Amino acid sequence: MTSNKAHRDRVIKRAAYARANIPLYLLVDRDKSESTLSSEPRNGDYAAHTTVPFGKPLPLPAPFSFDLDTGEFL
């Protein structure tokens, strides 16, 4: 979830997680009212991103394998 330092959450933290080869980075962005799932860490960032507005389901891959109900974030 974005903190009061959203740049850190959107850019710095995402890059750090990718460099650590963490397979997924989920950001619940309160300022933009959307959720983004970043995947496929590569070269210090994530190669794939899926973004949905709050209220739409966000599909999560295995090992989770379910749609995240982002309606709860409205």
Side-chain angles (χ1 to χ4, degrees):
M1 184 162 292
T2 50
S3 64
N4 58 353
K5 297 179 179 163
H7 174 76
R8 181 183 69 192
D9 300 321
R10 292 185 191 114
V11 179
I12 297 169
K13 232 181 190 182
R14 186 187 74 210
Y17 279 49
R19 282 192 307 272
N21 208 33
I22 295 172
L24 301 171
Y25 181 70
L26 175 63
L27 179 66
V28 177
D29 195 323
R30 298 178 300 170
D31 296 331
K32 295 183 177 183
S33 297
E34 63 187 23
S35 296
T36 300
L37 180 67
S38 299
S39 59
E40 301 176 31
R42 190 174 306 146
N43 301 321
D45 203 352
Y46 289 95
H49 307 276
T50 302
T51 301
V52 298
F54 288 173
K56 300 284 184 181
L58 177 63
L60 301 179
F64 304 102
S65 303
F66 71 93
D67 289 346
L68 178 65
D69 177 9
T70 67
E72 298 293 320
F73 305 142
L74 289 171

